[in-house]
Each structure stands twice: as C-alpha cells, then as structure tokens.
Amino acid sequence: MIYEGKKKIWSEYQKDIPDDHYFYARSCIRQMFFTASEQAFLEITRKLMGKDIFETEHHTTCGGIAYHCDAIPQETSMTIIARQFALMKKYGYENFVCSCITSFGLYNETLETWRRFPEVEAKVKEDLWESCHLEFAKPKFLAHTCDLIYKYRERIASMAKYRLVNVKTGRPLRVVEHIGCHYSKMFPSKGFGGAEYPYVLVGMVESWGGEIIDYPERRHCCGFGFRQYFIQSDRGYSLANTYKKFESMEPYEPDMIITNCPGCTYFMDRWQYVIAETQGKTYGGKGHGIPVLTYEEVAGLVLGYDPWDLGLQTHQVGSEPLLDKMGIKYDPAKKYLGVNGKFIGEPEKSPC
Amino acid sequence: MKHANKNIVIIGGGPCGMEAAYRLKNEGMNVILVEKGPSLGGHLACWDRLFPESIKADDLLDILKNNISDVNCFLNTEIIKMNLRNDAYDIELSNGITVLARAVLFATGFDIFPAEKKEEYGYGIYNKVITNKDLEQYFKTGKDERIPANPKNIGFIHCVGSRDEKIGNRQCSKVCCATAVKQACEIKERFPDANVYSFYMDLRMFGRHYEDLYYKAQHECGVRFIRGRVSEISENKEGKLIVKAEDTLMGKPIKITMDLVVLMAGMKNSEAGIKTAGQLAVLRDDDGFFNSEDSFYNLEKSAYRGIFFAGTCLGPKTIPETINEARSAVLSIKEYVESFAND
C-alpha cells in the first residue's frame, strides 16, 4: 500500500461547500434504524458548532427507494425533489444538506438530469407549480451531512473527550469504513475522495485518532442494494454479500465499522446476528460482533455524548466492547431506559 | 524563383522524427530536429524487445541514431513560438535559436495513458501493480523492486485507458494486444513456474506473424487467456493482489490472487505535442489525436500550408507503420518545398 498514492487521489477529489446556513432534509429510514443519529447531527452542528441548520416538518421523503425499485418513474421523483428545493428557497436558504446517501445520489442525479436536459427541468418546473404552487429553485450547494461532519472534523477533534484509541494499549482503533454507493460512485467528483478511495470517513477516523483498514472486499456491496434486497425475493443475495465482506475483513481484526449510508449501517449491523445464528460465527472476538456505527454516532462518542443518548442500544451488535476500548463511561443499567427513565424494552430471542 | 529555403523543423526525436530527419537530409533539406527530452529515441528507448519477432529495441534505435549523426539535433529544447510569415514558419526555440522553416513536421508521438487514472486498478496505490512500460524497463535493466523473486500468479490487463468511455478514451490503442502477448511470453520465459493470465476484451492480433505469437503464447508458454474485463484490484494482508473479473466465456465472475499485475496502458496524443500545436490552432479529433487534411490520400498533410504530421500523433500505430509514415511525410514535404523552387 502506497499511502502517498491515495493522498494524491484524495487531493484531486475535494469539493467546496460552505460551512454554515443549510436547509436540512432528513432520511425517511434513518430515524427508525439509528434513532438518534440525525438528532446528534443537529446537536453537534447547532449547539456545539453554532451553525444555522434549518429544518421544516413540511419536507418529505425524496422518493429514492420507490424510484430505485421502479415503483415510481423518474419524473415523479424529480417533482418530489423540486418540492424539497422549493421549500429550501421558501425558507430563505441556498444550501441544501441531506441525511441520506440515497437521497444525496438522487439529488445529484436530478440536478445533472436538469443540467443536461433543460426541457425536462422546464417540465418539472411546470409540474411543481401545478401541483404545489411553489417556486422552482436549485440549491447553490448540495452536501451530505457526512460532508459537514468531515468539514468540522478537526474542530470535533479539538473538542474531543475520547479518541479512537484503545485506552489500555494506546493503539489506534482499527476501523473499517464503508461508503454508501450513492455517495460518489455515480458522480465521483461529488464526494470527498472520489469513488474508489473515498476520503470522507477516512478523514474523520484519522482526525479522531483511529487507523483505517484496507481489506480486499472494501468496495463490495454491504448487502443492501435495492435490486438484490427489495426486488429479489431471496434474502440470501443480500446476506451473501455481507458475509463476503466480513470474511474479508476478519483477518484485520477491526474494532469497529463506520458508515455513511442508512442501508449500509443497517445491513452490516443486522446481518451479523443472522450470520451468528446460522453459521455460529462472530467477527468481533469473544463472541461479539463488530460494532457498526454511523459517523454522527462516532462523532458523538468522541465528543462525550452518553452512548445511550446516541441510540447505541438500538443496534443489533452491542457497542460495549468498543466503549470499553475507548474508555467511555456508561451505565449498563440505563441501556434500555428512554426519555424520563421509561423502559423501552430489550431484545429477546424469538421463540420460533 | 523566390528563395531556396530548405529549412525543415521536425518536432519530436522518436523513431518517426529520426527516420524523417534521415530521409529529408538525404533529399538535400536542412533539417533541424527538436526534442524536448534529454535524448533521442522516445518510447523506443524505454523498450527492451519489439513484437512479433522480439528483436532488440536498442538495435533499431542504433540504426535510427546512426542515420542522423550529422543532423542538427537540439535536445532538451521546446518550441516557444511559431508564426507563419511569408510562406515560412518563424520558430523560436527554448535554447534561444530562431529558425525560419519552410515546413514543420509534427512527429510529436504519444503519451502512455496515465494508468493511475484507472483508479480501480490501483497503480500508484498497490505496490505490485505495474505498467507495460515498467515491465519493459525491468526486462531491460533486470531491476524493479515491485517484481517478486518467484511470482506464482501474474496477470496482464488489456485495454487500460483504451476503449473505455468512462475515462474518456474510446479508441483502441492498437499495439497493446500484441505487446501484452509478447510480454506474457517473455515473463513466462523468465518465471517458468508462474501462472500467467491475460484478461482481454478481444485480441486484436492484426499484423503479420502476430497470430503466430498468440499461438506461441497459448501452446508453448501456457498463457491463460480470459475474455473479460477486470472490475477492480485490491490488496490482501500479505500484500498480494486480488483481481476481480468476469469470465465472459464461462459466464461467471472470477477472483484470482496475483503476485504481480501488469496494466497494458494505452496511447494518447502527446500533451507536449498538443501544447505546441495549440500555437497554430491545429485541429484535433474527438480522440485527441491531430486531424489530417484527409484520412485516406493526404494523411500526412494538415489543414495548414507547410505543416505535416507523421507517426502516433495521428493515432496509435506500430513502429513499422510509424517509419513508413515518416517516409511518406518526407515525400510530401519534398514536393511542398520544391513547389516554391518552381515558382
């Protein structure tokens, strides 16, 4: 591995985005999968960084899942997206930041479609006015929320209470990073670091003290993929991909996995349980899985947020081994207590 | 009769420029050969052996060099300015010399496609990924720390930077297939115990005896040809390369662990040649190579009076084709210069 070669590629894929004043669009699935990630993003950016990140309850899904599953045509998704952008303008913003990788890819695809086919843009403009009476607009800058955390990574490092370092050995934690396909594979120039050796998560991990693992199946699908999960009736297509990745990363003994896509986090977290049940195999040592975290969760841990406030108890793979390695203090008794100490239930094995 | 200006500037000191210089000198022209590099020979000087007969590249280079021992050659020299003035080109060189040339021959050649741009193959990222040019250097010098002492599996990947819309080069580089087959045979001779794989889209063995070379690779050297494009290369913990491809004849994805991968980097028009030609607004085609007056009967002529082309600045070609094109350009230049003498 020639690290300088990677740095050269990274230097060629840098994008200019403002560090403040964004209209924020949530993901339709992340709030269910990783309940506090989006809230952590808002806490970090608004409260700690003092940034102006605006959101409204009037925005909707981008339509990405329906579009990629062929349930709606591109024209429909483009009109939905035009409405999101129109809301951005209505509330006085020029910069758009979204939480979902699928959305980020689809927003880029839509903007590129409009750039190449002005007649399509004109038609969407008409459809938007006819259906919503909203004024058409395009964002001056489009960013994904991981782009902003990447941009703030050194500030986060300077405010860090914990580092991605094993407090017992002093060794940097070994981290697998996994980038959502729709972040930069469609438009390499839209992502920090490009498509083949993306830097956005690597940059965060390096700044926060960790060490990145480059394993053979690094680029391989996480196991989601709209075609193989939603369209195929056999979930084995999905599971086989995840299994292949874990088999490939196993010799490197990763301490954790960080991702920037809702699907990747979900599938790499949940399928570990299925692999453990069906194959009797775990990858994290001592019968544990490898914790799979979103970048907001990792940033939150580094900044000293309570792991249970970050929603780590909703992950399939327990995060305690990681917390112990980082030296993070946590109360095991509070793991399944929600707001106002209310018991939220805890996982139990299905009887069937 | 106007004036007997027989000054001809040749830009580029590769095989094409050298051959043209020799022939123009024999026709009584005053030849000035301008080469941007420190020595003559171009890419030929970096090569060990040439297909299909595996003759030594240095033997051909020596012939070409000896032929022009009495020609004015300016090394480490570039064209600073070039303006048409009264049926001649006023050319300022970076060494301070100014030449009034009746005609200019672009023999600016090609650049090897920068293989690092095909990012998924990891040239410059993974230690054991090299290019066809690197391998020729190894054959020539016997030195390259990236090449292991006893490689078990060696892969050649065709069409790196050729026939690839993703990186913006749609054209076939023409010579890489034969080069890959030649190099596969040579590396098998050097490492007889190694398994040598060749990943190709389709093999374009178009020249005389090329098919014989292909036959030798299969039947004598045991090179395993796999029809399929490599999708990506990664590195495992031991530093070996994991090559993923589709075997389109078997209809299956395959994954092979390699000790060395050689990328057959293709040809693109020379950036230095493009920069020089830019002073005259010389037209280029979609593939980046220069446009001739026409591509059948006046291949060596440009749309500009007194500007001629030869060799790989007009597109990928073999060395024999390049040398023939240089000779053809010489005939046209001679006719052009003589047309002034007859005025």
Side-chain angles (χ1 to χ4, degrees):
Chain A
M1 172 69 68
I2 305 162
Y3 189 73
E4 288 303 313
K6 277 192 175 179
K7 276 172 79 175
K8 186 170 176 287
I9 287 184
W10 292 335
S11 69
E12 288 168 7
Y13 292 101
Q14 289 297 318
K15 60 178 179 179
D16 186 28
I17 53 166
D19 78 340
D20 203 358
H21 305 300
Y22 280 92
F23 180 94
Y24 176 53
R26 289 185 184 241
S27 153
C28 58
I29 55 175
R30 292 187 83 213
Q31 294 163 76
M32 290 178 289
F33 293 171
F34 306 101
T35 48
S37 284
E38 292 186 329
Q39 191 56 34
F41 172 77
L42 293 174
E43 290 273 335
I44 292 167
T45 52
R46 285 173 175 168
K47 290 192 180 167
L48 286 182
M49 307 285 159
K51 304 297 179 189
D52 169 25
I53 310 288
F54 175 85
E55 69 166 332
T56 167
E57 70 275 24
H58 297 298
H59 89 70
T60 65
T61 169
C62 69
I65 291 178
Y67 169 59
H68 289 298
C69 293
D70 284 350
I72 59 171
Q74 192 186 8
E75 288 74 10
T76 306
S77 70
M78 284 193 293
T79 311
I80 295 171
I81 286 165
R83 183 178 170 279
Q84 312 275 68
F85 292 160
L87 288 174
M88 172 195 73
K89 182 171 184 183
K90 182 180 167 184
Y91 290 104
Y93 287 84
E94 291 183 315
N95 310 322
F96 195 97
V97 62
C98 58
S99 162
C100 175
I101 285 293
T102 302
S103 302
F104 182 69
L106 192 51
Y107 290 137
N108 275 314
E109 185 181 338
T110 299
L111 289 169
E112 185 63 13
T113 304
W114 291 346
R115 190 183 70 79
R116 288 197 191 191
F117 306 99
E119 69 281 9
V120 174
E121 181 182 314
K123 175 74 169 54
V124 170
K125 207 171 178 176
E126 274 177 32
D127 292 345
L128 177 71
W129 183 254
E130 210 170 280
S131 57
C132 306
H133 281 276
L134 282 169
E135 196 182 333
F136 182 84
K138 287 192 272 189
K140 198 170 174 187
F141 290 96
L142 173 67
H144 183 261
T145 43
C146 72
D147 294 334
L148 288 187
I149 297 291
Y150 168 82
K151 202 170 175 72
Y152 307 145
R153 69 193 187 283
E154 294 302 342
R155 273 194 73 189
I156 291 172
S158 70
M159 300 161 86
K161 291 193 176 159
Y162 302 100
R163 287 171 59 75
L164 299 179
V165 171
N166 188 321
V167 290
K168 286 179 188 155
T169 63
R171 193 182 132 183
L173 294 184
R174 298 172 67 75
V175 183
V176 159
E177 51 89 34
H178 184 87
I179 299 288
C181 297
H182 293 214
Y183 175 65
S184 56
K185 277 188 185 166
M186 292 190 288
F187 301 99
S189 64
K190 305 292 183 190
F192 284 111
E196 298 297 333
Y197 309 94
Y199 186 60
V200 66
L201 297 177
V202 176
M204 291 179 207
V205 169
E206 288 182 343
S207 293
W208 301 338
E211 180 183 294
I212 287 294
I213 288 169
D214 193 346
Y215 62 109
E217 297 294 357
R218 177 179 58 81
R219 298 180 181 105
H220 198 82
C221 175
C222 64
F224 189 27
F226 295 95
R227 296 281 156 176
Q228 69 195 9
Y229 192 76
F230 285 128
I231 307 294
Q232 301 278 6
S233 57
D234 183 355
R235 296 291 191 259
Y237 285 99
S238 166
L239 183 57
N241 281 294
T242 317
Y243 181 66
K244 183 182 269 190
K245 279 188 84 71
F246 279 97
E247 287 291 308
S248 176
M249 72 176 79
E250 185 184 19
Y252 298 83
E253 300 176 356
D255 296 303
M256 63 174 284
I257 298 170
I258 182 172
T259 77
N260 68 348
C261 170
C264 304
T265 322
Y266 188 81
F267 279 75
M268 292 176 78
D269 180 49
R270 303 304 200 262
W271 277 148
Q272 283 192 74
Y273 169 74
V274 177
I275 293 168
E277 288 293 307
T278 57
Q279 308 293 312
K281 186 161 186 185
T282 51
Y283 295 93
K286 296 180 183 170
H288 287 282
I290 304 170
V292 186
L293 274 67
T294 69
Y295 53 94
E296 297 109 318
E297 290 167 344
V298 178
L301 288 180
V302 165
L303 287 164
Y305 284 79
D306 187 289
W308 313 139
D309 287 345
L310 289 169
L312 297 192
Q313 66 275 53
T314 63
H315 289 235
Q316 191 81 45
V317 175
S319 53
E320 285 87 342
L322 173 67
L323 303 179
D324 294 339
K325 283 176 190 168
M326 289 176 71
I328 293 174
K329 306 264 185 304
Y330 59 95
D331 184 352
K334 290 184 179 171
K335 183 171 182 179
Y336 297 110
L337 300 183
V339 177
N340 300 324
K342 187 184 170 191
F343 180 62
I344 59 171
E346 68 183 290
E348 52 190 59
K349 219 166 188 180
S350 166
C352 56
Chain B
M1 184 173 155
K2 287 182 182 171
H3 50 85
N5 181 351
K6 291 188 174 182
N7 291 341
I8 312 295
V9 166
I10 299 172
I11 309 172
C16 183
M18 287 193 286
E19 178 62 12
Y22 170 57
R23 300 288 166 180
L24 282 167
K25 179 198 70 175
N26 286 352
E27 295 296 339
M29 306 291 163
N30 303 319
V31 178
I32 298 108
L33 181 62
V34 180
E35 165 56 42
K36 70 178 190 306
S39 57
L40 295 173
H43 296 285
L44 179 63
C46 305
W47 241 246
D48 182 48
R49 288 175 182 272
L50 306 174
F51 62 76
E53 293 93 349
S54 272
I55 68 157
K56 278 190 170 179
D58 281 347
D59 290 349
L60 175 62
L61 187 58
D62 287 344
I63 294 169
L64 292 167
K65 273 185 181 171
N66 289 337
N67 285 342
I68 58 166
S69 54
D70 53 349
V71 166
N72 278 328
C73 294
F74 296 130
L75 301 176
N76 295 310
T77 306
E78 292 183 47
I79 308 289
I80 301 294
K81 273 186 192 165
M82 184 158 45
N83 295 307
L84 180 60
R85 187 176 297 168
N86 300 329
D87 287 326
Y89 285 90
D90 191 2
I91 299 172
E92 187 186 329
L93 304 178
S94 60
N95 59 7
I97 292 172
T98 301
V99 180
L100 192 64
R102 175 65 76 197
V104 178
L105 174 64
F106 277 80
T108 45
F110 67 96
D111 286 344
I112 289 183
F113 173 78
E116 62 271 20
K117 281 195 181 298
K118 196 74 186 156
E119 292 170 7
E120 58 268 44
Y121 293 163
Y123 183 67
I125 303 271
Y126 301 126
N127 292 305
K128 307 293 183 196
V129 179
I130 65 171
T131 64
N132 40 3
K133 187 176 179 179
D134 296 333
L135 187 60
E136 288 292 337
Q137 284 287 295
Y138 169 73
F139 285 147
K140 204 166 179 174
T141 63
K143 290 177 192 161
D144 192 323
E145 288 177 357
R146 295 168 295 182
I147 298 177
N150 292 301
K152 192 179 163 200
N153 291 323
I154 302 168
F156 285 82
I157 301 180
H158 292 232
C159 300
V160 176
S162 309
R163 305 175 71 193
D164 188 343
E165 286 206 50
K166 189 177 160 192
I167 48 89
N169 281 353
R170 213 161 47 196
Q171 82 281 358
C172 169
S173 290
K174 194 173 178 177
V175 298
C176 326
C177 281
T179 302
V181 174
K182 175 195 82 92
Q183 291 186 341
C185 293
E186 288 170 342
I187 208 153
K188 184 73 183 174
E189 283 163 13
R190 201 163 283 231
F191 302 111
D193 296 332
N195 299 311
V196 179
Y197 300 86
S198 189
F199 296 91
Y200 68 99
M201 287 204 280
D202 50 347
L203 278 162
R204 299 188 165 182
M205 307 298 282
F206 58 91
R208 191 178 179 201
H209 299 310
Y210 293 9
E211 197 66 22
D212 299 336
L213 188 64
Y214 181 34
Y215 187 88
K216 176 188 167 189
Q218 292 173 86
H219 295 276
E220 292 176 30
C221 300
V223 177
R224 300 171 187 192
F225 287 90
I226 298 171
R227 197 186 80 178
R229 198 145 198 176
V230 168
S231 60
E232 66 171 49
I233 296 174
S234 52
E235 197 178 62
N236 70 11
K237 213 174 174 191
E238 290 76 43
K240 290 181 186 288
L241 301 165
I242 311 292
V243 175
K244 282 187 181 181
E246 182 189 3
D247 186 330
T248 58
L249 295 179
M250 286 174 65
K252 283 184 177 174
I254 55 170
K255 192 161 79 172
I256 305 177
T257 304
M258 300 281 183
D259 299 283
L260 180 71
V261 167
V262 186
L263 305 180
M264 304 311 297
M267 287 181 173
K268 61 194 277 288
N269 199 357
S270 148
E271 287 300 326
I274 291 169
K275 187 180 159 199
T276 305
Q279 298 184 36
L280 300 172
V282 168
L283 295 176
R284 291 186 293 138
D285 215 332
D286 289 345
D287 60 7
F289 292 97
F290 297 137
N291 264 342
S292 297
E293 189 178 304
D294 74 63
S295 55
F296 282 88
Y297 200 65
N298 289 304
L299 191 67
E300 70 284 1
K301 291 179 185 171
S302 77
Y304 298 89
R305 283 170 59 79
I307 299 291
F308 296 85
F309 299 130
T312 49
C313 66
L314 288 173
K317 52 183 63 80
T318 63
I319 290 176
E321 288 169 336
T322 295
I323 288 172
N324 284 339
E325 222 166 70
R327 293 173 185 173
S328 165
V330 166
L331 286 176
S332 287
I333 291 170
K334 184 178 172 232
E335 282 173 14
Y336 178 74
V337 172
E338 286 176 351
S339 71
F340 290 92
N342 296 332
D343 278 351

